[in-house]
Amino acid sequence: MPEARAASAALPQPALEIASGYAFGGPALDLGALLWDGVCLPDAQVRIPLPMLNRHGLVAGATGTGKTKTLQLVAEQLSAQGVPVFLADIKGDVSGISAPGARNEKVQARAAEVHQEWVATGFPAEFYALGGIGHGIPVRAPVTSFGPVLLAKVLQLNQTQEQSLGLIFHYADQKGLELLDLKDLRAVVAFLTSDEGKAELKNIGGLSTATAGVILRSLTAFEAQGMADFFGEPEFDTAELLRTASDGRGMVSVLELAAVQDRPQLFSTFLMWLLADLFHDLPEVGDADKPKLVFFFDEAHLLFNGASKAFLDSITQTVRLIRSKGVGVFFVTQTPKDVPADVLAQLGNRVQHALRAFTPDDQKALKATVKTFPDSAYDLEELLTGLGTGEAVVTVLSEKGAPTPVAATRLRAPESLMGPVEPGALDSAVRSSPLYGRYAQAVDRESAYEKLSPRGAKGPDEMADEMADEVKAPARKAKDAAARKPKDDPSVVEQVVGSGVFKSLARSLGTQIGREITRSLFGTARRRR
């Protein structure tokens, strides 16, 4: 930024010191212009180095202070530099990123204040909806891929019940009972609590009939609330989030959650599944020139509310390690105290919008927020309560990985539409997407429910015997044909088919073939492709 350096001599000394911390030489995102002593200094630009976007971040602030527009601003610039972006659209107002913005007096005034060359621009976007509820390509996850830890969070199970659910998943994995949707899991739990399944239940250490019954009732109630649509096939492939458009810009994936915003435990946990699945699948890349994906986790406090220790540990571990896989995660919430300390410590880039101090609790949150920032030339308590809409306190990681000076910033205006696109245009974009045909229609293939139901209450080992018979059928035909010929000794086929080893092998094949399941930190799983 040579123009900033040339004008830097005119800046007040404290502002000059702050501005020098943002004079990066490599590619960077432009956030806005420095505010000092109530004056906007457009020659002092505040920026984030592009390679540092995988070091994670936090966008915080009270309702109505401009967090959503900040997400839009950052997402636009990431897309322009070829980086895919994922946005969770809680309120339904982020879809406008796909359409050019509207020039008006407010936009022109903001652009002039911060020396922004504002050009109305739409960005390539795909729109998704959980289970197809809302405007978007349906996103579903098989129960087995979702895993016991995340499902326990959705079902609001306690720690003991969560551990017991893990044992049920382990049992289903071992017996080859595919858990694709909720009725599959309900069928397995119902079998284990039935007279026929009690013997199997005893073989699962630490799982009591009473706890299994609680889980079964929780599943039944959960399904009765209309939650079944979110689980099943076709499974959404999170690699879709890593795509770029034909012009090289990063694809912006917008997950519409307005239709399910009354189910915060569900959608916040689904967001974590997407992140955990990416972590499970992506290779290590180390420090790259730019991220593979930047993932914005809106309403982050919902993820942590009521979370078990195992769940929190898994989040912390995922955030700590996914950086090396080229994924940056930004948590979006009202105050930093909404994020556990171990997770907050991993967030190197901070954009803090205004906070309110109307109540004693607000004042306590304000003091706690100030303590999370580096030492500053500002009176942060006063500054954070006096920021206007579209202004924020910023500190990021420099190109060398060190925190930059705290900078009060007047943010740039997004160049895309600041509001939702028309529903008709949104539906048209969804149906014209090449992904729509892949994910639109739900598939219900044979799985645990079908295997347990039609066979009358037969256990998995009995079903394995039946599978063994099916596997032996071709060999039996060969044996019968050979029997018509006179012979003194049994054939090799007869010897093999009649052996106990073959029956054991056939049973193993019936339960294991094609069922290699590996589980990640959250117990999530993806079948080998």
Side-chain angles (χ1 to χ4, degrees):
M1 290 196 50
E3 69 276 10
R5 294 192 186 97
S8 62
L11 299 176
Q13 184 59 34
L16 180 59
E17 292 175 4
I18 295 171
S20 64
Y22 292 88
F24 310 124
L29 310 187
D30 295 310
L31 293 180
L34 183 68
L35 286 170
W36 181 258
D37 200 20
V39 178
C40 182
L41 306 174
D43 291 325
Q45 292 290 311
V46 177
R47 315 166 76 217
I48 304 179
L50 185 62
M52 292 294 110
L53 266 295
N54 72 335
R55 301 297 180 92
H56 311 317
L58 176 74
V59 179
T63 301
T65 55
K67 296 191 300 293
T68 301
K69 299 300 175 281
T70 298
L71 301 190
Q72 198 166 338
L73 173 67
V74 174
E76 289 176 354
Q77 295 188 61
L78 285 167
S79 174
Q81 300 209 42
V83 178
V85 178
F86 173 87
L87 294 174
D89 188 5
I90 306 291
K91 298 184 288 291
D93 57 357
V94 181
S95 60
I97 197 167
S98 63
R103 183 183 293 274
N104 55 43
E105 289 184 7
K106 288 180 66 175
V107 167
Q108 288 180 303
R110 176 56 61 95
E113 287 174 338
V114 299
H115 284 188
Q116 174 186 5
E117 294 181 8
W118 191 90
V119 179
T121 310
F123 294 82
E126 290 280 13
F127 300 98
Y128 301 97
L130 286 185
I133 297 179
H135 301 276
I137 298 162
V139 173
R140 303 181 187 88
V143 168
T144 190
S145 292
F146 204 70
V149 177
L150 294 177
L151 190 60
K153 177 76 161 51
V154 171
L155 296 175
Q156 301 181 52
L157 303 180
N158 63 30
Q159 185 172 350
T160 299
Q161 293 159 358
E162 177 185 314
Q163 293 169 347
S164 297
L165 184 63
L167 291 173
I168 293 169
F169 270 73
H170 178 69
Y171 173 80
D173 290 349
Q174 291 297 307
K175 298 298 182 180
L177 294 170
E178 291 183 292
L179 305 176
L180 301 182
D181 50 31
L182 290 180
K183 72 178 185 297
D184 289 324
L185 182 56
R186 187 160 42 80
V188 172
V189 180
F191 170 73
L192 290 173
T193 54
S194 69
D195 291 338
E196 295 80 5
K198 284 180 180 177
E200 296 287 336
L201 191 64
K202 289 179 181 177
N203 295 327
I204 307 177
L207 179 60
S208 69
T209 304
T211 301
V214 170
I215 294 172
L216 180 60
R217 289 192 294 274
S218 297
L219 278 169
T220 302
F222 185 70
E223 198 167 8
Q225 294 169 17
M227 305 295 192
D229 291 338
F230 307 110
F231 297 95
E233 291 187 318
E235 176 178 4
F236 181 71
D237 186 351
T238 50
E240 311 286 9
L241 305 179
L242 304 174
R243 296 181 301 129
T244 55
S246 57
D247 60 4
R249 292 185 296 173
M251 188 68 69
V252 181
S253 298
V254 180
L255 179 64
E256 183 191 304
L257 298 173
V260 294
Q261 60 179 296
D262 59 336
R263 305 168 193 176
Q265 293 278 356
L266 178 68
F267 73 68
S268 63
T269 311
F270 242 96
L271 294 181
M272 198 65 230
W273 171 74
L274 292 172
L275 197 58
D277 195 71
L278 285 164
F279 175 80
H280 189 240
D281 283 1
L282 289 175
E284 297 277 339
V285 295
D287 290 324
D289 293 337
K290 61 184 180 181
K292 284 187 174 182
L293 173 73
V294 176
F295 192 105
F296 288 94
F297 211 125
D298 205 356
E299 300 291 346
H301 66 282
L302 298 172
L303 180 68
F304 304 110
N305 286 349
S308 68
K309 185 179 184 302
F311 188 84
L312 291 175
D313 288 347
S314 296
I315 292 175
T316 304
Q317 188 83 337
T318 300
V319 172
R320 181 179 293 127
L321 298 177
I322 203 169
R323 177 189 69 80
S324 64
K325 300 194 173 192
V327 177
V329 183
F330 274 69
F331 291 96
V332 186
T333 189
Q334 295 204 0
T335 71
K337 72 181 183 65
D338 293 335
V339 181
D342 287 345
V343 177
L344 190 62
Q346 308 297 319
L347 312 182
N349 302 298
R350 302 275 300 279
V351 180
Q352 177 68 60
H353 288 266
L355 291 174
R356 309 303 181 210
F358 299 141
T359 69
D361 284 345
D362 289 343
Q363 292 169 0
K364 190 180 297 184
L366 174 61
K367 291 181 182 296
T369 298
V370 169
K371 290 179 181 178
T372 64
F373 280 91
D375 290 340
S376 159
Y378 297 95
D379 180 343
L380 286 180
E381 283 193 37
E382 180 180 348
L383 178 62
L384 286 172
T385 55
L387 291 170
T389 301
E391 296 176 347
V393 171
V394 175
T395 179
V396 301
L397 294 180
S398 71
E399 293 166 311
K400 296 181 179 179
T404 59
V406 176
T409 307
R410 183 159 292 163
L411 299 167
R412 291 180 166 224
E415 296 182 338
S416 55
L417 183 65
M418 289 188 277
V421 298
E422 291 295 324
L426 188 56
D427 286 337
S428 177
V430 169
R431 293 183 180 278
S432 63
S433 168
L435 302 183
Y436 184 76
R438 191 178 308 168
Y439 296 109
Q441 187 64 46
V443 176
D444 186 12
R445 63 185 175 88
E446 186 184 55
S447 48
Y449 176 81
E450 288 78 14
K451 290 176 181 177
L452 287 171
S453 298
R455 296 176 186 255
K458 291 181 181 177
D461 284 333
E462 291 176 275
M463 289 188 287
D465 286 338
E466 293 185 14
M467 293 176 191
D469 288 338
E470 294 169 7
V471 171
K472 289 189 291 183
R476 186 182 294 115
K477 289 181 181 178
K479 175 185 172 184
D480 291 342
R484 299 191 190 100
K485 298 179 181 179
K487 58 189 176 191
D488 297 327
D489 299 315
S491 68
V492 173
V493 171
E494 290 176 306
Q495 293 177 50
V496 172
V497 169
S499 70
V501 173
F502 181 86
K503 183 175 182 180
S504 174
L505 175 61
R507 177 178 299 168
S508 175
L509 284 171
T511 57
Q512 297 297 330
I513 216 166
R515 305 185 190 282
E516 288 295 325
I517 295 177
T518 56
R519 296 199 176 272
S520 69
L521 294 170
F522 279 99
T524 58
R526 181 179 289 278
R527 232 172 262 299
R528 297 289 185 189
R529 289 195 169 95

